[in-house]
Amino acid sequence: MNKRKKIYSVFSFLLAGTLCLSMAACGGTPTPAEDETTSSAPLSGALPVKAIQPKHVDENPYMAKSDANIHHDGYNTDSTDEILPLGIYPEINVSFETTNPNASPAIYFDNYGHAVVPLLGGIAIRDLNATETKTLGYFSPMQHDGGGYVIQSSYTFLDSKNRVVCPTSNNHVLILRTTEEDGSVIPEFEKVLDIDIKAAAETALGKELTQNLLSVVFDYDGNLWFATGGFRIYPERQQQGVLGYIAHTAIESILNGEQTDLSKAVFVYGLPLGEGAENGIAASKDGAVILTNQNCYLLRAEEGVNVVWCTPYESVGAKVSHDGDKTTGGGLAWGGGCSPTLTPNLVLFTDNADPVKLLALDMKTGEVVASMPVLDDLPDGYQVAVENSAIVYDDGEGTVSTIVCNWFGAGNAGLADPDNDSSIQSYANIYDQNWLMKGNVMIAPGVERVDTLKTADGYEMKSIWSRNDLRDTAIMKLSTATGYIYGYVQDLDTGMWQYIILDFATGETVFTMDVSNKYGYNNMAIGMYTGSNGNTLYCPTGYLELLRLQDRFVYLPELPYREVDLDQVARNVLSQDQFEQDGGEGTVASWHNTATICNVHPNTMVAFRMNNLSGSASDLTLYAYGADGKLEKVGSELWSLTDETGANVTELTDGVLYELRVTVSDGGDLDLNETEKEIKLSVVLGK
């Protein structure tokens, strides 16, 4: 079993600005506020579940069904339908880095739950929950392919067969096979495709390219789109770039071991001199959407690159700090720094005007159907550069919510140097050293939610909330399962780095948990990522520590000295359709909870803490998964619903923390694990 190292075990959070509690992260008793009446019953500070509809994203048949890239999906929504921590006796655990020069960044997961991360200039599958981060399998250009290049990890992704698709610094695209058919990890990944995109594009274009490969993505027909560029493309430098694709048929032929004539399979659109991409590519059923430093494009593969539409936007050019500013860095982009994010009907991104505007474009026509300034009420002396990918949430009922975050100051001002190669994705090349050393005092504040509303006459935008006191570079994440936004910030008064949770509806900070006031706990402008177990929010740091925020939502009431391994538990949303398909009757009434318990006694009571139950307890039925993957009813003598004291409850109130207590035995009907002295149970409530 993996051991965990706790780095901080006390949390504080705010609920409606009125209640402050602190407690031991491993289930200790909270300390009541002095002016509150003390109760004999434990008080839980758990956040109420405010679930919203799952995100509205059309599944790409050529990408993994998991959250398969750093922006979670091909739309670049930066939102997840996975459950994230809710302050249920929370704790922060850590995995130490001993191989890589930094804690694992750019995390995403394959369909087997394996974490895919950069490693030593390559890409790896690693156990991120071990005391020391453990490499299970990897591909290193230096060790496995003669060196001379690195994988550009920010824009890698997983295809439908869990293979990693990677652009490289030497302008190739690789596809790596990482797992066997049974899901076991291959120790040395197999390179099954290697295409020199720059050479192929130059042949198709008939002239030399002076921009490097930046990003790639599969469209919904399996064509591999690519874009050249970097993090600052100055028009006056007259660099030649392209947008283009490799035909699906050619990709499949190569993967099948066949010879392919790329001259008949690579198609390009030559950009005007000085134009290039500065972000990742998004894709939908309508085609590939690419944002350059000057225009937004919708492109389709039709025996060549069909420019469906091209929409220009405003930019005042690359932004850097001025003499006397509180910041010393700048932004990353010359144009809009925000990766384009899609809904089925809209394309959303920020321009780089003054003030910066959020734009919504019609997916079919490219027409700007709505726009408004964002982050335009900052204190004097602060600039705006939206460099983090925006969170975009489409509720499917006519409202699209966009959360934009100011990033100005984190970028290295040296990116302006004429000889700088901005496609090189290294910390020293990209980030402002003063920010890395001095923290978030060196970046500009600002987080805002703007809603784009469908009306009878078209669309309109309105600001829902704005926070000028937050400075976040961690690419915030939205969980639709909980209804909260998750971030990582620094308290400027104390210097303390903190996990925070914002109410999606109001923008209010409802939870904070301290990490450290040491400068090295800067998240290095790397996005956080959600684990596939519904109980983990990863955050890399500059101190070679990968943090994970977790809820202790499973424990053993009869064995308080024993801690359940949080990396061996899971809680996931079970859809009504899946519930019925698996044999459940009625309505699914809880999340699907799974736990593995080691060194068990002959009979062991396992308690699952949950606060999204309501109605009469007598209306609920407990189901457990069997080895055949089907749900079976659990006898009433084996389970009960209690409050936190263990007292049985009859009426349930949404938002109150209850315990589902289940008695299990090694090798019994509820045990899914054949290993002796180890029990795995998987249960869900139905109504």
Side-chain angles (χ1 to χ4, degrees), residues 56 102 188 198 201 220 230 306 347 358 394 407 475 506 528:
H56 202 52
N102 49 265
E188 182 180 324
K198 188 173 184 179
Y220 282 55
N306 176 20
V347 177
L358 175 66
D394 181 1
W407 200 88
I475 310 182
T506 67
M528 300 178 297

Side-chain angles (χ1 to χ4, degrees), residues 74 269 344 408 443 446 471 478 495 594 656:
Y269 172 77
F408 180 83
I443 62 173
R471 305 172 191 233
L478 168 66
T594 302
V656 176

Side-chain angles (χ1 to χ4, degrees), residues 574 579 585 587-593 610 613 620-623 639 641 652 660 683-687:
L574 186 66
F579 177 70
E585 299 176 359
T587 304
V588 62
S590 75
W591 290 331
H592 173 202
N593 293 274
M610 54 185 72
L613 303 177
L620 297 175
T621 300
L622 185 65
Y623 291 87
W639 68 280
L641 282 170
L652 307 168
L660 169 64
V683 297
V684 63
L685 287 166
K687 179 179 291 188

